Amino acid sequence: KYRHMARKAGLGKLAGDAEDKEVIGYYLALYALPNSLRRPEQLDGLILAAILSPSPVSIAKILSVVWTKEEDGEQPKWENQKEVERFYGAFINFYTYVVTHHEQGSYEPLLSVQRTEDGTMIETYSMWLTGFSLGLSLWQENSPAIKPIGDRKSTRLNSSH
């Protein structure tokens, strides 16, 4: 509870007209758990990998790993219903944006170089790749017919079953 209050003070107030990416970034930072995604770039990679899966990955499955990378893990303790609606509304809009732009062939990952307050440069591609890797992990859970790469018996798709 105190950690949440300190983070909120550090983040400031979220503008009412904030873009979906800003809303997502704000709430990921505010409610970050030890194993949660922390940046919109990670969510962007996660969504893209999930929609590229050979078998559909549900939005619920994607959301289940946003906060703890585990389906049954801890979820944020939201301050009020308005926060819940704002985050999940922004999530659905962002998800739709990624899907639509991928289908149209105009998708571009959220990649940039950002400077922190102390002057450190952050290259967001590693964050995006973290999310993408997490999204790939949903493939195996969602597609039992795909053998793990490390399986020496077969490196091909297992078409039996």
Side-chain angles (χ1 to χ4, degrees):
K1 177 88 175 168
Y2 295 113
R3 193 174 339 137
H4 168 75
M5 291 169 54
R7 281 188 197 150
K8 192 167 194 170
L11 290 170
K13 186 171 171 72
L14 181 62
D17 62 348
E19 294 182 14
D20 293 327
K21 181 178 127 180
E22 294 171 292
V23 171
I24 290 166
Y26 180 85
Y27 287 117
L28 288 177
L30 182 60
Y31 289 109
L33 297 166
N35 291 318
S36 66
L37 300 184
R38 298 183 185 256
R39 302 278 306 216
E41 294 85 356
Q42 293 171 311
L43 183 59
D44 184 51
L46 169 65
I47 291 170
L48 184 66
I51 66 174
L52 293 174
S53 175
S55 299
V57 177
S58 71
I59 290 175
K61 178 68 110 174
I62 295 167
L63 283 168
S64 73
V65 299
V66 166
W67 299 108
T68 61
K69 302 178 186 168
E70 298 170 13
E71 190 171 344
D72 60 349
E74 183 180 359
Q75 299 295 306
K77 292 173 179 48
W78 298 96
E79 197 169 291
N80 56 53
Q81 187 62 29
K82 184 178 178 184
E83 284 188 344
V84 174
E85 291 170 6
R86 193 154 186 209
F87 175 80
Y88 288 106
F91 171 86
I92 292 298
N93 290 342
F94 191 70
Y95 176 88
T96 302
Y97 175 86
V98 172
V99 170
T100 301
H101 284 270
H102 173 263
E103 288 173 351
Q104 294 172 350
S106 59
Y107 170 80
E108 292 186 17
L110 287 179
L111 303 176
S112 64
V113 176
Q114 300 173 355
R115 186 179 301 275
T116 64
E117 289 178 16
D118 68 357
T120 305
M121 300 298 281
I122 299 173
E123 296 173 339
T124 61
Y125 69 87
S126 63
M127 295 175 200
W128 187 90
L129 288 171
T130 299
F132 191 81
S133 177
L134 180 59
L136 290 178
S137 73
L138 298 177
W139 285 30
Q140 188 173 4
E141 294 173 22
N142 214 39
S143 304
I146 296 177
K147 294 275 188 190
I149 291 172
D151 182 351
R152 297 195 185 276
K153 294 179 184 170
S154 173
T155 56
R156 298 178 297 143
L157 292 179
N158 182 357
S159 57
S160 61
H161 294 87

